């Protein structure tokens, strides 16, 4: 969807008072929070908008300790990382340098560099930034199978939100589809919450997630069935069971029928790129990065010179790399707006790239390394 018409053309009038800001950051996850901190430290005025009720993005539901490097807070639980980042923002509140809007969604981007914000209260207003960083994260993928719309079938992230954010136990007996990190972690958290996990199904012939997460669920006796998937859910008003099929060269072969009241689907994430598309940013489909992602230079700047990107919306990766990308983007914005010199920005960005390089050395990052080869560009002019 391309938003080529101006607000005046669409709404029949122009907005009377358009707020201005130096840097608009859309998304208050690890990428957006780190971008905000870096920009504030460099002296910029920042407006941070987050559609959720609180800041932190995916981090607020992650109760496990993070991997990576100590510089990116490895060894700390996800929700604690969010708390630390939010605390670091506190001194800037009330300084006139930072405005935070919660329950506020950026819904449209117009060519005149105007972004429309919509609040939960129903209020809609435009804002005109000099620069914008899009850090809108990712969305869960769904799987097509009969009855996949029955109540009791959730994305794994939805299960995490219910349990870890709202304290709701989502079921009694669960089947998890997908043995990547998210499926494994959610299965473990369900077990911790007293939910029986019947099995984790994985279409590939190997477990996609870290061995340490797989070992945790195996210790509970949960089978991880490779080359298996769900062929249909059973139930009328809600989930009552599922049929598990083996994936064979001749197609799906139904093998087991199980009773369950909860099915968690964890078959990958795809970057949230709606705003980037509206802004006519040049995109490319890169399967290694989760779908359509923006082309960007090594400063995270997109083909629209006033728009930068960071985190999962730039390609599915990790919170650790999302935080560094946020800092790179803000450093680049600060250079563009004259807050730091070319040399200072280069030194800082080189250091941040060295940290990214360290984090991306792992075998599990090989997809990201391949993906980057397809999206990293040098903008002319
Ligand atoms: C179960 C699980 C376990 C994980 N474990 C690890 C781990 O051990 N180590 C690690 O480094 N990473 C881990 N990750 C990955 C990590 O959580 C993500 O890579 C990271 O959160 C991405 O950060 P982000 O800021 O790009 O996006 P998000 O954290 O998704 O934040 C994006 C934010 O943008 C907001 N938003 C979206 N659209 C709009 C809009 N239009 N207007 C306003 N706001 C908007 C969203 O509400 C959200 O708060 C895990 C993820 C999951 C799901």
């Amino acid at each position: 969807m391309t938003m080529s018409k101006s607000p005046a053309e669409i709404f029949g009038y122009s907005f009377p008072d358009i707020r201005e800001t130096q840097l608009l950051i859309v998304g208050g996850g690890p990428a957006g929070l780190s971008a905000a901190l870096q920009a504030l430290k460099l002296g910029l005025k920042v407006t941070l908008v987050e559609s959720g009720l609180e800041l932190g993005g995916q981090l607020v539901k992650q109760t496990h300790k993070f991997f990576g490097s100590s510089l990116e807070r490895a060894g700390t639980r996800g929700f604690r990382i969010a708390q630390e980042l939010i605390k670091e923002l506190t001194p800037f509140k009330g300084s006139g340098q930072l405005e935070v809007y919660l329950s506020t969604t950026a819904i449209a981007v117009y060519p005149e560099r105007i972004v429309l914000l919509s609040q939960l209260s129903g209020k809609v207003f435009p804002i005109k930034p000099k620069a914008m960083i899009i850090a809108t994260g990712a969305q869960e993928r769904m799987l097509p199978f009969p009855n996949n719309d029955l109540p009791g079938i959730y994305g794994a992230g939805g299960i995490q939100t219910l349990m870890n954010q709202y304290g709701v136990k989502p079921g009694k007996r669960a089947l998890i589809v997908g043995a990547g990190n998210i499926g494994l972690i959610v299965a473990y958290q369900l077990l911790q919450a007293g939910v029986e996990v019947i099995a984790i199904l994985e279409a590939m012939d190997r477990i996609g997630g870290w061995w340490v997460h797989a070992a945790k669920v195996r210790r509970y006796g949960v089978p991880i069935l490779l080359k298996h998937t769900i062929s249909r859910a059973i139930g009328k008003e809600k989930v009552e069971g599922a049929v598990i099929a083996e994936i064979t060269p001749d197609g799906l072969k139904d093998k087991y029928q199980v009773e369950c009241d909860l099915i968690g689907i964890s078959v990958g994430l795809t970057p949230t790129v709606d705003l980037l598309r509206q802004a006519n940013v040049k995109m490319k489909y890169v399967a290694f990065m989760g779908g359509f992602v923006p082309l960007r230079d090594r400063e995270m700047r997109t083909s629209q010179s006033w728009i930068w990107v960071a985190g999962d919306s730039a390609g599915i990766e990790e919170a650790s790399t999302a935080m560094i990308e946020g800092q790179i983007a803000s450093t680049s914005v600060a250079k563009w707006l004259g807050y730091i010199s070319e040399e200072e920005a280069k030194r800082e960005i080189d250091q941040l790239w060295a940290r990214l390089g360290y984090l991306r050395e792992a075998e599990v990052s090989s997809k990201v390394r391949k993906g980057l080869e397809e999206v990293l560009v040098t903008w002319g002019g």
Side-chain angles (χ1 to χ4, degrees), residues 308-349:
W308 282 253
V309 71
D312 278 355
S313 53
I316 305 302
E317 216 178 334
E318 300 247 293
S320 44
T321 46
M323 290 189 276
I324 301 178
E325 286 184 346
Q327 291 170 59
I328 292 176
S330 280
T331 308
S332 179
V333 173
K335 178 183 77 171
W336 189 54
L337 295 176
Y339 279 73
I340 49 170
S341 67
E342 290 266 349
E343 297 74 42
E344 284 171 309
K346 185 177 178 315
R347 207 176 316 124
E348 177 74 9
I349 290 171

Side-chain angles (χ1 to χ4, degrees), residues 146-153 233-242 260:
N147 293 332
N148 73 353
D149 58 349
L150 282 174
I153 304 179
I234 301 166
K236 284 209 170 79
E237 301 294 320
K238 58 186 172 60
V239 172
E240 289 162 23
C260 59

Side-chain angles (χ1 to χ4, degrees), residues 28-308:
L33 287 172
S34 296
L37 276 168
Q38 179 81 344
L40 291 163
K41 284 178 195 160
L42 294 172
L44 272 80
K45 287 197 175 142
V46 174
T47 302
L48 174 62
V49 298
E50 164 55 51
S51 55
L53 300 173
E54 57 183 317
L55 293 171
Q58 293 295 321
L59 291 178
V60 296
K61 33 183 151 149
Q62 290 168 17
T63 51
H64 64 287
K65 290 182 181 166
F66 271 38
F67 297 131
S69 103
S70 56
L71 283 174
E72 270 59 63
R73 302 165 206 253
T76 309
R77 295 183 193 280
F79 71 97
R80 294 244 184 265
I81 298 179
Q83 287 169 351
E84 285 176 14
L85 291 170
I86 293 164
K87 198 169 163 205
E88 286 174 41
L89 281 182
T90 315
F92 296 99
K93 285 189 182 152
S95 68
Q97 224 189 313
L98 172 67
E99 262 184 322
V100 179
Y101 291 100
L102 296 177
S103 306
T104 304
T105 303
I107 54 169
V109 183
Y110 298 98
E112 302 89 335
R113 232 185 325 115
I114 290 173
V115 180
L116 207 55
L117 303 179
S118 167
Q119 296 192 304
L120 206 56
S121 61
K123 187 177 169 192
V124 176
F125 63 95
I127 188 161
K128 189 170 173 68
K130 286 201 165 73
M132 171 162 70
I133 297 176
I134 294 185
T136 46
Q139 296 163 19
E140 290 191 281
R141 292 206 181 122
M142 201 37 193
L143 205 58
F145 56 85
N147 293 332
N148 73 353
D149 58 349
L150 282 174
I153 304 179
Y154 298 89
I159 293 180
Q160 267 202 328
T161 307
L162 282 177
M163 284 200 301
N164 302 347
Q165 249 184 304
Y166 302 128
V168 175
K169 192 171 160 184
K172 293 195 179 90
R173 255 187 134 220
L175 177 69
I176 302 292
V177 185
N181 274 328
I182 297 179
L184 295 170
I185 289 169
V186 169
Y188 184 65
Q189 291 176 349
L190 282 164
L191 291 164
Q192 287 179 311
V195 177
E196 186 187 351
V197 178
I198 314 167
I200 302 174
L201 312 180
E202 171 55 58
M204 293 194 299
D205 57 3
R206 62 187 166 79
I207 294 168
W210 293 88
W211 66 266
V212 64
H213 295 313
K216 280 194 210 164
V217 288
R218 278 201 165 138
R219 273 203 292 275
Y220 270 88
V222 176
I224 302 176
L225 304 179
L226 303 179
K227 294 208 252 175
H228 281 74
T229 189
I230 181 168
S231 71
R232 66 178 190 278
I234 301 166
K236 284 209 170 79
E237 301 294 320
K238 58 186 172 60
V239 172
E240 289 162 23
V243 176
I244 297 172
E246 188 179 0
I247 301 170
T248 75
D250 304 322
L252 294 188
K253 292 241 161 73
D254 287 350
K255 219 163 140 189
Y256 311 101
Q257 183 163 328
V258 292
E259 282 180 18
C260 59
D261 60 355
L262 177 65
I263 297 175
I265 309 291
S266 175
V267 292
L269 302 169
T270 196
T272 304
V273 293
D274 316 54
L275 293 175
L276 291 157
R277 280 183 179 283
Q278 282 188 22
N280 265 332
V281 159
K282 281 190 187 153
M283 312 282 292
K284 185 169 180 185
Y285 184 86
V286 184
F288 290 132
M289 302 187 96
F292 278 97
V293 287
L295 299 182
R296 82 299 295 263
D297 66 12
R298 74 189 289 278
E299 299 189 358
M300 303 307 294
R301 198 175 198 171
T302 70
S303 60
Q304 295 288 356
S305 60
W306 63 285
I307 300 178
W308 282 253

Side-chain angles (χ1 to χ4, degrees), residues 2-22:
T2 301
M3 190 71 64
S4 53
K5 287 183 178 173
S6 71
E9 285 171 302
I10 292 169
F11 298 104
Y13 65 93
S14 47
F15 292 100
D17 307 307
I18 297 191
R19 284 172 216 212
E20 299 207 350
T21 186
Q22 263 183 333

